[in-house]
Amino acid sequence: MLESCDCLRTFKEIQTNEAVGLLRHMTKGTQAKDMFFNKDALWGYTRQKFQERALLLYKSMAKLHPDKVSALSLPPHESHRYTKAWEAITRIRKICSVGCGPGCDAAGVLALLQTIAKQGCNETKHQKKLLESVYLLDWAINEWATIVNILKDLLIPALVENIYCSSCD
């Protein structure tokens, strides 16, 4: 049992170390296509960033919830804009994520929509699926496919009707 823990720790260390270089280049915008052929780097990136990035989108959009906005004591015209934005969020049926990587942004939006549906304050509460479709677009979508396919298996058919992936530059 101890041996498998050592192997797992080593495996995570390898992924983390490989991801550091990729993240450094992604931060600067100097990544090259061949960097995405490194599966350890992609898994390391996903392990390090997926939840953080999904949660960032979730929290950013959740700030538009009427309860949060009312606490801000905004002028009526400002408050109305927030209300309209929240209403639009509750009606989301399709997502397009450009530069999607492993699908963090789509997962964050979907998590928010799940929360909203559980609270019973959106149009999806009577629908079987939260979303009609998700479009994941990335320059290296073929390289992200191993990870994105796992995400697709988790979301289809339970929460999303279709997930489409394509390359974009």
Side-chain angles (χ1 to χ4, degrees), residues 40-79:
D40 287 328
L42 296 181
W43 279 108
Y45 173 92
T46 302
R47 208 170 31 75
Q48 290 179 49
K49 294 294 182 178
F50 191 93
Q51 184 177 351
E52 173 188 323
R53 299 276 164 87
L55 192 57
L56 177 64
L57 195 68
Y58 178 100
K59 286 181 173 182
S60 297
M61 293 177 76
K63 287 179 182 179
L64 296 170
H65 189 280
D67 292 343
K68 303 239 191 248
V69 172
S70 66
L72 298 176
S73 301
L74 297 170
H77 70 281
E78 285 290 320
S79 180

PDB file of all heavy atoms in Angstrom, residues 40-79:
ATOM      1  N   ASP A  40       1.268  14.855 -19.321  1.00  0.00           N
ATOM      2  CA  ASP A  40       1.498  15.148 -17.905  1.00  0.00           C
ATOM      3  C   ASP A  40       1.284  16.629 -17.618  1.00  0.00           C
ATOM      4  O   ASP A  40       0.701  17.001 -16.597  1.00  0.00           O
ATOM      5  CB  ASP A  40       2.915  14.742 -17.472  1.00  0.00           C
ATOM      6  CG  ASP A  40       3.084  13.234 -17.365  1.00  0.00           C
ATOM      7  OD1 ASP A  40       2.090  12.560 -17.020  1.00  0.00           O
ATOM      8  OD2 ASP A  40       4.194  12.749 -17.616  1.00  0.00           O
ATOM      9  N   ALA A  41       1.730  17.484 -18.529  1.00  0.00           N
ATOM     10  CA  ALA A  41       1.538  18.927 -18.349  1.00  0.00           C
ATOM     11  C   ALA A  41       0.052  19.277 -18.383  1.00  0.00           C
ATOM     12  O   ALA A  41      -0.420  20.084 -17.569  1.00  0.00           O
ATOM     13  CB  ALA A  41       2.296  19.706 -19.424  1.00  0.00           C
ATOM     14  N   LEU A  42      -0.713  18.666 -19.290  1.00  0.00           N
ATOM     15  CA  LEU A  42      -2.144  18.949 -19.388  1.00  0.00           C
ATOM     16  C   LEU A  42      -2.895  18.469 -18.149  1.00  0.00           C
ATOM     17  O   LEU A  42      -3.758  19.172 -17.620  1.00  0.00           O
ATOM     18  CB  LEU A  42      -2.730  18.322 -20.649  1.00  0.00           C
ATOM     19  CG  LEU A  42      -2.194  18.866 -21.978  1.00  0.00           C
ATOM     20  CD1 LEU A  42      -2.876  18.175 -23.144  1.00  0.00           C
ATOM     21  CD2 LEU A  42      -2.358  20.368 -22.069  1.00  0.00           C
ATOM     22  N   TRP A  43      -2.557  17.275 -17.679  1.00  0.00           N
ATOM     23  CA  TRP A  43      -3.201  16.763 -16.467  1.00  0.00           C
ATOM     24  C   TRP A  43      -2.792  17.592 -15.254  1.00  0.00           C
ATOM     25  O   TRP A  43      -3.612  17.878 -14.382  1.00  0.00           O
ATOM     26  CB  TRP A  43      -2.884  15.286 -16.249  1.00  0.00           C
ATOM     27  CG  TRP A  43      -3.764  14.401 -17.080  1.00  0.00           C
ATOM     28  CD1 TRP A  43      -3.391  13.690 -18.173  1.00  0.00           C
ATOM     29  CD2 TRP A  43      -5.159  14.174 -16.907  1.00  0.00           C
ATOM     30  NE1 TRP A  43      -4.484  13.027 -18.695  1.00  0.00           N
ATOM     31  CE2 TRP A  43      -5.576  13.303 -17.930  1.00  0.00           C
ATOM     32  CE3 TRP A  43      -6.106  14.619 -15.992  1.00  0.00           C
ATOM     33  CZ2 TRP A  43      -6.893  12.871 -18.054  1.00  0.00           C
ATOM     34  CZ3 TRP A  43      -7.424  14.177 -16.113  1.00  0.00           C
ATOM     35  CH2 TRP A  43      -7.795  13.317 -17.137  1.00  0.00           C
ATOM     36  N   GLY A  44      -1.534  17.990 -15.200  1.00  0.00           N
ATOM     37  CA  GLY A  44      -1.073  18.839 -14.107  1.00  0.00           C
ATOM     38  C   GLY A  44      -1.777  20.182 -14.110  1.00  0.00           C
ATOM     39  O   GLY A  44      -2.200  20.687 -13.069  1.00  0.00           O
ATOM     40  N   TYR A  45      -1.913  20.773 -15.290  1.00  0.00           N
ATOM     41  CA  TYR A  45      -2.640  22.033 -15.431  1.00  0.00           C
ATOM     42  C   TYR A  45      -4.073  21.863 -14.933  1.00  0.00           C
ATOM     43  O   TYR A  45      -4.578  22.678 -14.160  1.00  0.00           O
ATOM     44  CB  TYR A  45      -2.647  22.490 -16.892  1.00  0.00           C
ATOM     45  CG  TYR A  45      -3.513  23.697 -17.127  1.00  0.00           C
ATOM     46  CD1 TYR A  45      -2.979  24.976 -17.052  1.00  0.00           C
ATOM     47  CD2 TYR A  45      -4.874  23.569 -17.400  1.00  0.00           C
ATOM     48  CE1 TYR A  45      -3.780  26.099 -17.249  1.00  0.00           C
ATOM     49  CE2 TYR A  45      -5.682  24.677 -17.591  1.00  0.00           C
ATOM     50  CZ  TYR A  45      -5.130  25.930 -17.515  1.00  0.00           C
ATOM     51  OH  TYR A  45      -5.930  27.035 -17.702  1.00  0.00           O
ATOM     52  N   THR A  46      -4.716  20.811 -15.383  1.00  0.00           N
ATOM     53  CA  THR A  46      -6.105  20.564 -15.014  1.00  0.00           C
ATOM     54  C   THR A  46      -6.241  20.385 -13.507  1.00  0.00           C
ATOM     55  O   THR A  46      -7.143  20.961 -12.881  1.00  0.00           O
ATOM     56  CB  THR A  46      -6.648  19.328 -15.763  1.00  0.00           C
ATOM     57  OG1 THR A  46      -6.520  19.562 -17.171  1.00  0.00           O
ATOM     58  CG2 THR A  46      -8.097  19.060 -15.418  1.00  0.00           C
ATOM     59  N   ARG A  47      -5.346  19.610 -12.928  1.00  0.00           N
ATOM     60  CA  ARG A  47      -5.391  19.377 -11.491  1.00  0.00           C
ATOM     61  C   ARG A  47      -5.177  20.675 -10.714  1.00  0.00           C
ATOM     62  O   ARG A  47      -5.829  20.926  -9.709  1.00  0.00           O
ATOM     63  CB  ARG A  47      -4.339  18.334 -11.104  1.00  0.00           C
ATOM     64  CG  ARG A  47      -4.680  17.550  -9.882  1.00  0.00           C
ATOM     65  CD  ARG A  47      -3.771  16.363  -9.618  1.00  0.00           C
ATOM     66  NE  ARG A  47      -2.396  16.474 -10.045  1.00  0.00           N
ATOM     67  CZ  ARG A  47      -1.474  17.215  -9.419  1.00  0.00           C
ATOM     68  NH1 ARG A  47      -1.795  17.928  -8.371  1.00  0.00           N
ATOM     69  NH2 ARG A  47      -0.239  17.252  -9.863  1.00  0.00           N
ATOM     70  N   GLN A  48      -4.299  21.522 -11.203  1.00  0.00           N
ATOM     71  CA  GLN A  48      -3.988  22.766 -10.502  1.00  0.00           C
ATOM     72  C   GLN A  48      -5.005  23.876 -10.751  1.00  0.00           C
ATOM     73  O   GLN A  48      -5.262  24.695  -9.865  1.00  0.00           O
ATOM     74  CB  GLN A  48      -2.615  23.289 -10.936  1.00  0.00           C
ATOM     75  CG  GLN A  48      -1.461  22.451 -10.454  1.00  0.00           C
ATOM     76  CD  GLN A  48      -0.146  23.022 -10.944  1.00  0.00           C
ATOM     77  OE1 GLN A  48       0.108  24.207 -10.811  1.00  0.00           O
ATOM     78  NE2 GLN A  48       0.683  22.178 -11.523  1.00  0.00           N
ATOM     79  N   LYS A  49      -5.559  23.945 -11.944  1.00  0.00           N
ATOM     80  CA  LYS A  49      -6.328  25.130 -12.341  1.00  0.00           C
ATOM     81  C   LYS A  49      -7.819  24.922 -12.562  1.00  0.00           C
ATOM     82  O   LYS A  49      -8.578  25.890 -12.537  1.00  0.00           O
ATOM     83  CB  LYS A  49      -5.729  25.727 -13.625  1.00  0.00           C
ATOM     84  CG  LYS A  49      -4.334  26.275 -13.428  1.00  0.00           C
ATOM     85  CD  LYS A  49      -4.358  27.456 -12.501  1.00  0.00           C
ATOM     86  CE  LYS A  49      -2.989  28.066 -12.316  1.00  0.00           C
ATOM     87  NZ  LYS A  49      -3.055  29.237 -11.440  1.00  0.00           N
ATOM     88  N   PHE A  50      -8.269  23.690 -12.800  1.00  0.00           N
ATOM     89  CA  PHE A  50      -9.661  23.480 -13.203  1.00  0.00           C
ATOM     90  C   PHE A  50     -10.637  24.052 -12.181  1.00  0.00           C
ATOM     91  O   PHE A  50     -11.483  24.890 -12.494  1.00  0.00           O
ATOM     92  CB  PHE A  50      -9.949  21.993 -13.436  1.00  0.00           C
ATOM     93  CG  PHE A  50     -11.265  21.746 -14.096  1.00  0.00           C
ATOM     94  CD1 PHE A  50     -11.347  21.641 -15.471  1.00  0.00           C
ATOM     95  CD2 PHE A  50     -12.432  21.635 -13.358  1.00  0.00           C
ATOM     96  CE1 PHE A  50     -12.568  21.432 -16.098  1.00  0.00           C
ATOM     97  CE2 PHE A  50     -13.656  21.430 -13.963  1.00  0.00           C
ATOM     98  CZ  PHE A  50     -13.721  21.321 -15.340  1.00  0.00           C
ATOM     99  N   GLN A  51     -10.523  23.600 -10.945  1.00  0.00           N
ATOM    100  CA  GLN A  51     -11.464  24.047  -9.919  1.00  0.00           C
ATOM    101  C   GLN A  51     -11.352  25.550  -9.676  1.00  0.00           C
ATOM    102  O   GLN A  51     -12.362  26.244  -9.566  1.00  0.00           O
ATOM    103  CB  GLN A  51     -11.228  23.289  -8.619  1.00  0.00           C
ATOM    104  CG  GLN A  51     -12.216  23.637  -7.541  1.00  0.00           C
ATOM    105  CD  GLN A  51     -12.017  22.835  -6.276  1.00  0.00           C
ATOM    106  OE1 GLN A  51     -11.247  21.892  -6.233  1.00  0.00           O
ATOM    107  NE2 GLN A  51     -12.720  23.201  -5.234  1.00  0.00           N
ATOM    108  N   GLU A  52     -10.138  26.054  -9.617  1.00  0.00           N
ATOM    109  CA  GLU A  52      -9.911  27.479  -9.390  1.00  0.00           C
ATOM    110  C   GLU A  52     -10.573  28.329 -10.472  1.00  0.00           C
ATOM    111  O   GLU A  52     -11.252  29.322 -10.185  1.00  0.00           O
ATOM    112  CB  GLU A  52      -8.404  27.737  -9.371  1.00  0.00           C
ATOM    113  CG  GLU A  52      -8.001  29.186  -9.307  1.00  0.00           C
ATOM    114  CD  GLU A  52      -6.494  29.358  -9.497  1.00  0.00           C
ATOM    115  OE1 GLU A  52      -5.714  28.515  -9.016  1.00  0.00           O
ATOM    116  OE2 GLU A  52      -6.109  30.349 -10.140  1.00  0.00           O
ATOM    117  N   ARG A  53     -10.395  27.937 -11.734  1.00  0.00           N
ATOM    118  CA  ARG A  53     -10.943  28.725 -12.846  1.00  0.00           C
ATOM    119  C   ARG A  53     -12.461  28.589 -12.926  1.00  0.00           C
ATOM    120  O   ARG A  53     -13.168  29.559 -13.204  1.00  0.00           O
ATOM    121  CB  ARG A  53     -10.295  28.295 -14.163  1.00  0.00           C
ATOM    122  CG  ARG A  53      -8.782  28.497 -14.184  1.00  0.00           C
ATOM    123  CD  ARG A  53      -8.414  29.919 -14.572  1.00  0.00           C
ATOM    124  NE  ARG A  53      -7.055  30.269 -14.262  1.00  0.00           N
ATOM    125  CZ  ARG A  53      -6.007  30.075 -15.031  1.00  0.00           C
ATOM    126  NH1 ARG A  53      -6.139  29.503 -16.200  1.00  0.00           N
ATOM    127  NH2 ARG A  53      -4.815  30.469 -14.637  1.00  0.00           N
ATOM    128  N   ALA A  54     -12.969  27.382 -12.687  1.00  0.00           N
ATOM    129  CA  ALA A  54     -14.424  27.186 -12.696  1.00  0.00           C
ATOM    130  C   ALA A  54     -15.071  27.999 -11.576  1.00  0.00           C
ATOM    131  O   ALA A  54     -16.096  28.662 -11.778  1.00  0.00           O
ATOM    132  CB  ALA A  54     -14.761  25.704 -12.554  1.00  0.00           C
ATOM    133  N   LEU A  55     -14.457  27.985 -10.416  1.00  0.00           N
ATOM    134  CA  LEU A  55     -14.987  28.724  -9.271  1.00  0.00           C
ATOM    135  C   LEU A  55     -14.919  30.238  -9.496  1.00  0.00           C
ATOM    136  O   LEU A  55     -15.820  30.974  -9.078  1.00  0.00           O
ATOM    137  CB  LEU A  55     -14.220  28.338  -8.007  1.00  0.00           C
ATOM    138  CG  LEU A  55     -14.801  28.793  -6.679  1.00  0.00           C
ATOM    139  CD1 LEU A  55     -16.226  28.284  -6.490  1.00  0.00           C
ATOM    140  CD2 LEU A  55     -13.916  28.302  -5.539  1.00  0.00           C
ATOM    141  N   LEU A  56     -13.889  30.700 -10.166  1.00  0.00           N
ATOM    142  CA  LEU A  56     -13.767  32.123 -10.477  1.00  0.00           C
ATOM    143  C   LEU A  56     -14.958  32.589 -11.316  1.00  0.00           C
ATOM    144  O   LEU A  56     -15.569  33.628 -11.032  1.00  0.00           O
ATOM    145  CB  LEU A  56     -12.458  32.395 -11.216  1.00  0.00           C
ATOM    146  CG  LEU A  56     -12.220  33.833 -11.668  1.00  0.00           C
ATOM    147  CD1 LEU A  56     -12.094  34.771 -10.477  1.00  0.00           C
ATOM    148  CD2 LEU A  56     -10.971  33.904 -12.529  1.00  0.00           C
ATOM    149  N   LEU A  57     -15.306  31.818 -12.333  1.00  0.00           N
ATOM    150  CA  LEU A  57     -16.444  32.189 -13.171  1.00  0.00           C
ATOM    151  C   LEU A  57     -17.748  32.099 -12.380  1.00  0.00           C
ATOM    152  O   LEU A  57     -18.595  32.995 -12.455  1.00  0.00           O
ATOM    153  CB  LEU A  57     -16.502  31.296 -14.411  1.00  0.00           C
ATOM    154  CG  LEU A  57     -17.407  31.827 -15.498  1.00  0.00           C
ATOM    155  CD1 LEU A  57     -16.829  33.101 -16.105  1.00  0.00           C
ATOM    156  CD2 LEU A  57     -17.588  30.803 -16.566  1.00  0.00           C
ATOM    157  N   TYR A  58     -17.895  31.034 -11.610  1.00  0.00           N
ATOM    158  CA  TYR A  58     -19.087  30.854 -10.779  1.00  0.00           C
ATOM    159  C   TYR A  58     -19.279  32.058  -9.859  1.00  0.00           C
ATOM    160  O   TYR A  58     -20.349  32.672  -9.820  1.00  0.00           O
ATOM    161  CB  TYR A  58     -18.929  29.572  -9.955  1.00  0.00           C
ATOM    162  CG  TYR A  58     -20.074  29.277  -9.017  1.00  0.00           C
ATOM    163  CD1 TYR A  58     -21.040  28.349  -9.365  1.00  0.00           C
ATOM    164  CD2 TYR A  58     -20.184  29.906  -7.784  1.00  0.00           C
ATOM    165  CE1 TYR A  58     -22.094  28.060  -8.502  1.00  0.00           C
ATOM    166  CE2 TYR A  58     -21.227  29.631  -6.923  1.00  0.00           C
ATOM    167  CZ  TYR A  58     -22.182  28.705  -7.284  1.00  0.00           C
ATOM    168  OH  TYR A  58     -23.211  28.431  -6.436  1.00  0.00           O
ATOM    169  N   LYS A  59     -18.239  32.411  -9.111  1.00  0.00           N
ATOM    170  CA  LYS A  59     -18.340  33.521  -8.150  1.00  0.00           C
ATOM    171  C   LYS A  59     -18.572  34.860  -8.842  1.00  0.00           C
ATOM    172  O   LYS A  59     -19.335  35.695  -8.343  1.00  0.00           O
ATOM    173  CB  LYS A  59     -17.075  33.601  -7.296  1.00  0.00           C
ATOM    174  CG  LYS A  59     -16.979  32.524  -6.253  1.00  0.00           C
ATOM    175  CD  LYS A  59     -15.712  32.704  -5.433  1.00  0.00           C
ATOM    176  CE  LYS A  59     -15.650  31.755  -4.266  1.00  0.00           C
ATOM    177  NZ  LYS A  59     -14.438  31.981  -3.447  1.00  0.00           N
ATOM    178  N   SER A  60     -17.927  35.063  -9.975  1.00  0.00           N
ATOM    179  CA  SER A  60     -18.097  36.326 -10.709  1.00  0.00           C
ATOM    180  C   SER A  60     -19.536  36.505 -11.160  1.00  0.00           C
ATOM    181  O   SER A  60     -20.118  37.581 -11.000  1.00  0.00           O
ATOM    182  CB  SER A  60     -17.159  36.368 -11.916  1.00  0.00           C
ATOM    183  OG  SER A  60     -15.821  36.342 -11.495  1.00  0.00           O
ATOM    184  N   MET A  61     -20.116  35.458 -11.701  1.00  0.00           N
ATOM    185  CA  MET A  61     -21.493  35.546 -12.172  1.00  0.00           C
ATOM    186  C   MET A  61     -22.476  35.596 -11.000  1.00  0.00           C
ATOM    187  O   MET A  61     -23.495  36.286 -11.070  1.00  0.00           O
ATOM    188  CB  MET A  61     -21.806  34.385 -13.110  1.00  0.00           C
ATOM    189  CG  MET A  61     -21.030  34.462 -14.417  1.00  0.00           C
ATOM    190  SD  MET A  61     -21.315  33.044 -15.493  1.00  0.00           S
ATOM    191  CE  MET A  61     -22.939  33.442 -16.111  1.00  0.00           C
ATOM    192  N   ALA A  62     -22.169  34.889  -9.925  1.00  0.00           N
ATOM    193  CA  ALA A  62     -23.060  34.859  -8.759  1.00  0.00           C
ATOM    194  C   ALA A  62     -23.171  36.227  -8.093  1.00  0.00           C
ATOM    195  O   ALA A  62     -24.149  36.502  -7.389  1.00  0.00           O
ATOM    196  CB  ALA A  62     -22.585  33.810  -7.764  1.00  0.00           C
ATOM    197  N   LYS A  63     -22.190  37.102  -8.309  1.00  0.00           N
ATOM    198  CA  LYS A  63     -22.245  38.453  -7.745  1.00  0.00           C
ATOM    199  C   LYS A  63     -23.426  39.252  -8.289  1.00  0.00           C
ATOM    200  O   LYS A  63     -23.800  40.281  -7.729  1.00  0.00           O
ATOM    201  CB  LYS A  63     -20.946  39.208  -8.033  1.00  0.00           C
ATOM    202  CG  LYS A  63     -19.780  38.722  -7.203  1.00  0.00           C
ATOM    203  CD  LYS A  63     -18.516  39.477  -7.538  1.00  0.00           C
ATOM    204  CE  LYS A  63     -17.355  38.943  -6.716  1.00  0.00           C
ATOM    205  NZ  LYS A  63     -16.107  39.635  -7.039  1.00  0.00           N
ATOM    206  N   LEU A  64     -24.005  38.789  -9.373  1.00  0.00           N
ATOM    207  CA  LEU A  64     -25.153  39.476  -9.964  1.00  0.00           C
ATOM    208  C   LEU A  64     -26.476  39.033  -9.357  1.00  0.00           C
ATOM    209  O   LEU A  64     -27.534  39.557  -9.719  1.00  0.00           O
ATOM    210  CB  LEU A  64     -25.167  39.250 -11.479  1.00  0.00           C
ATOM    211  CG  LEU A  64     -23.970  39.835 -12.232  1.00  0.00           C
ATOM    212  CD1 LEU A  64     -23.958  39.351 -13.673  1.00  0.00           C
ATOM    213  CD2 LEU A  64     -23.976  41.343 -12.158  1.00  0.00           C
ATOM    214  N   HIS A  65     -26.451  38.078  -8.437  1.00  0.00           N
ATOM    215  CA  HIS A  65     -27.679  37.598  -7.791  1.00  0.00           C
ATOM    216  C   HIS A  65     -28.384  38.780  -7.116  1.00  0.00           C
ATOM    217  O   HIS A  65     -27.727  39.618  -6.486  1.00  0.00           O
ATOM    218  CB  HIS A  65     -27.345  36.514  -6.763  1.00  0.00           C
ATOM    219  CG  HIS A  65     -28.554  35.837  -6.228  1.00  0.00           C
ATOM    220  ND1 HIS A  65     -29.332  36.405  -5.237  1.00  0.00           N
ATOM    221  CD2 HIS A  65     -29.125  34.651  -6.537  1.00  0.00           C
ATOM    222  CE1 HIS A  65     -30.328  35.595  -4.961  1.00  0.00           C
ATOM    223  NE2 HIS A  65     -30.226  34.516  -5.735  1.00  0.00           N
ATOM    224  N   PRO A  66     -29.692  38.868  -7.234  1.00  0.00           N
ATOM    225  CA  PRO A  66     -30.434  40.003  -6.653  1.00  0.00           C
ATOM    226  C   PRO A  66     -30.148  40.244  -5.163  1.00  0.00           C
ATOM    227  O   PRO A  66     -30.103  41.401  -4.729  1.00  0.00           O
ATOM    228  CB  PRO A  66     -31.894  39.626  -6.883  1.00  0.00           C
ATOM    229  CG  PRO A  66     -31.855  38.743  -8.088  1.00  0.00           C
ATOM    230  CD  PRO A  66     -30.559  37.979  -7.990  1.00  0.00           C
ATOM    231  N   ASP A  67     -29.956  39.207  -4.387  1.00  0.00           N
ATOM    232  CA  ASP A  67     -29.659  39.399  -2.963  1.00  0.00           C
ATOM    233  C   ASP A  67     -28.329  40.122  -2.755  1.00  0.00           C
ATOM    234  O   ASP A  67     -28.186  40.951  -1.860  1.00  0.00           O
ATOM    235  CB  ASP A  67     -29.624  38.055  -2.224  1.00  0.00           C
ATOM    236  CG  ASP A  67     -30.994  37.412  -2.156  1.00  0.00           C
ATOM    237  OD1 ASP A  67     -32.009  38.117  -2.378  1.00  0.00           O
ATOM    238  OD2 ASP A  67     -31.058  36.194  -1.876  1.00  0.00           O
ATOM    239  N   LYS A  68     -27.350  39.798  -3.583  1.00  0.00           N
ATOM    240  CA  LYS A  68     -26.037  40.446  -3.472  1.00  0.00           C
ATOM    241  C   LYS A  68     -26.115  41.895  -3.955  1.00  0.00           C
ATOM    242  O   LYS A  68     -25.508  42.781  -3.377  1.00  0.00           O
ATOM    243  CB  LYS A  68     -25.006  39.681  -4.284  1.00  0.00           C
ATOM    244  CG  LYS A  68     -24.867  38.236  -3.895  1.00  0.00           C
ATOM    245  CD  LYS A  68     -23.476  37.939  -3.473  1.00  0.00           C
ATOM    246  CE  LYS A  68     -23.294  36.449  -3.354  1.00  0.00           C
ATOM    247  NZ  LYS A  68     -23.094  35.955  -2.067  1.00  0.00           N
ATOM    248  N   VAL A  69     -26.863  42.111  -5.025  1.00  0.00           N
ATOM    249  CA  VAL A  69     -26.975  43.452  -5.600  1.00  0.00           C
ATOM    250  C   VAL A  69     -27.734  44.383  -4.660  1.00  0.00           C
ATOM    251  O   VAL A  69     -27.346  45.537  -4.482  1.00  0.00           O
ATOM    252  CB  VAL A  69     -27.652  43.391  -6.989  1.00  0.00           C
ATOM    253  CG1 VAL A  69     -27.948  44.780  -7.515  1.00  0.00           C
ATOM    254  CG2 VAL A  69     -26.763  42.632  -7.964  1.00  0.00           C
ATOM    255  N   SER A  70     -28.792  43.879  -4.022  1.00  0.00           N
ATOM    256  CA  SER A  70     -29.574  44.742  -3.125  1.00  0.00           C
ATOM    257  C   SER A  70     -28.734  45.231  -1.946  1.00  0.00           C
ATOM    258  O   SER A  70     -28.963  46.318  -1.421  1.00  0.00           O
ATOM    259  CB  SER A  70     -30.825  44.019  -2.635  1.00  0.00           C
ATOM    260  OG  SER A  70     -30.473  42.926  -1.824  1.00  0.00           O
ATOM    261  N   ALA A  71     -27.743  44.440  -1.546  1.00  0.00           N
ATOM    262  CA  ALA A  71     -26.862  44.839  -0.442  1.00  0.00           C
ATOM    263  C   ALA A  71     -25.926  45.983  -0.840  1.00  0.00           C
ATOM    264  O   ALA A  71     -25.325  46.617   0.028  1.00  0.00           O
ATOM    265  CB  ALA A  71     -26.051  43.642   0.030  1.00  0.00           C
ATOM    266  N   LEU A  72     -25.793  46.250  -2.142  1.00  0.00           N
ATOM    267  CA  LEU A  72     -24.894  47.301  -2.616  1.00  0.00           C
ATOM    268  C   LEU A  72     -25.507  48.702  -2.564  1.00  0.00           C
ATOM    269  O   LEU A  72     -24.804  49.687  -2.726  1.00  0.00           O
ATOM    270  CB  LEU A  72     -24.455  47.002  -4.057  1.00  0.00           C
ATOM    271  CG  LEU A  72     -23.671  45.716  -4.278  1.00  0.00           C
ATOM    272  CD1 LEU A  72     -23.408  45.519  -5.772  1.00  0.00           C
ATOM    273  CD2 LEU A  72     -22.368  45.733  -3.503  1.00  0.00           C
ATOM    274  N   SER A  73     -26.821  48.794  -2.373  1.00  0.00           N
ATOM    275  CA  SER A  73     -27.528  50.086  -2.338  1.00  0.00           C
ATOM    276  C   SER A  73     -27.213  50.935  -3.570  1.00  0.00           C
ATOM    277  O   SER A  73     -26.785  52.085  -3.466  1.00  0.00           O
ATOM    278  CB  SER A  73     -27.179  50.862  -1.066  1.00  0.00           C
ATOM    279  OG  SER A  73     -27.521  50.122   0.071  1.00  0.00           O
ATOM    280  N   LEU A  74     -27.439  50.359  -4.717  1.00  0.00           N
ATOM    281  CA  LEU A  74     -27.173  51.058  -5.976  1.00  0.00           C
ATOM    282  C   LEU A  74     -28.343  51.953  -6.367  1.00  0.00           C
ATOM    283  O   LEU A  74     -29.480  51.691  -5.978  1.00  0.00           O
ATOM    284  CB  LEU A  74     -26.946  50.034  -7.091  1.00  0.00           C
ATOM    285  CG  LEU A  74     -25.750  49.112  -6.940  1.00  0.00           C
ATOM    286  CD1 LEU A  74     -25.807  48.004  -7.975  1.00  0.00           C
ATOM    287  CD2 LEU A  74     -24.459  49.897  -7.090  1.00  0.00           C
ATOM    288  N   PRO A  75     -28.072  52.963  -7.193  1.00  0.00           N
ATOM    289  CA  PRO A  75     -29.175  53.759  -7.748  1.00  0.00           C
ATOM    290  C   PRO A  75     -30.072  52.847  -8.602  1.00  0.00           C
ATOM    291  O   PRO A  75     -29.600  51.849  -9.153  1.00  0.00           O
ATOM    292  CB  PRO A  75     -28.472  54.795  -8.629  1.00  0.00           C
ATOM    293  CG  PRO A  75     -27.030  54.739  -8.284  1.00  0.00           C
ATOM    294  CD  PRO A  75     -26.767  53.429  -7.629  1.00  0.00           C
ATOM    295  N   PRO A  76     -31.344  53.169  -8.733  1.00  0.00           N
ATOM    296  CA  PRO A  76     -32.289  52.300  -9.458  1.00  0.00           C
ATOM    297  C   PRO A  76     -31.837  51.903 -10.860  1.00  0.00           C
ATOM    298  O   PRO A  76     -31.992  50.756 -11.253  1.00  0.00           O
ATOM    299  CB  PRO A  76     -33.577  53.123  -9.505  1.00  0.00           C
ATOM    300  CG  PRO A  76     -33.476  54.034  -8.332  1.00  0.00           C
ATOM    301  CD  PRO A  76     -32.014  54.331  -8.155  1.00  0.00           C
ATOM    302  N   HIS A  77     -31.276  52.851 -11.628  1.00  0.00           N
ATOM    303  CA  HIS A  77     -30.878  52.502 -12.997  1.00  0.00           C
ATOM    304  C   HIS A  77     -29.734  51.474 -12.996  1.00  0.00           C
ATOM    305  O   HIS A  77     -29.673  50.608 -13.858  1.00  0.00           O
ATOM    306  CB  HIS A  77     -30.514  53.748 -13.807  1.00  0.00           C
ATOM    307  CG  HIS A  77     -29.248  54.418 -13.376  1.00  0.00           C
ATOM    308  ND1 HIS A  77     -29.183  55.242 -12.276  1.00  0.00           N
ATOM    309  CD2 HIS A  77     -27.994  54.365 -13.899  1.00  0.00           C
ATOM    310  CE1 HIS A  77     -27.942  55.677 -12.130  1.00  0.00           C
ATOM    311  NE2 HIS A  77     -27.202  55.163 -13.102  1.00  0.00           N
ATOM    312  N   GLU A  78     -28.842  51.564 -12.022  1.00  0.00           N
ATOM    313  CA  GLU A  78     -27.753  50.589 -11.919  1.00  0.00           C
ATOM    314  C   GLU A  78     -28.302  49.231 -11.475  1.00  0.00           C
ATOM    315  O   GLU A  78     -27.932  48.187 -12.006  1.00  0.00           O
ATOM    316  CB  GLU A  78     -26.679  51.067 -10.922  1.00  0.00           C
ATOM    317  CG  GLU A  78     -25.806  52.164 -11.433  1.00  0.00           C
ATOM    318  CD  GLU A  78     -24.867  51.707 -12.536  1.00  0.00           C
ATOM    319  OE1 GLU A  78     -24.313  50.600 -12.451  1.00  0.00           O
ATOM    320  OE2 GLU A  78     -24.709  52.475 -13.498  1.00  0.00           O
ATOM    321  N   SER A  79     -29.166  49.265 -10.491  1.00  0.00           N
ATOM    322  CA  SER A  79     -29.763  48.040  -9.970  1.00  0.00           C
ATOM    323  C   SER A  79     -30.539  47.309 -11.073  1.00  0.00           C
ATOM    324  O   SER A  79     -30.496  46.079 -11.164  1.00  0.00           O
ATOM    325  CB  SER A  79     -30.691  48.378  -8.807  1.00  0.00           C
ATOM    326  OG  SER A  79     -31.265  47.225  -8.286  1.00  0.00           O
TER     327      SER A  79
END
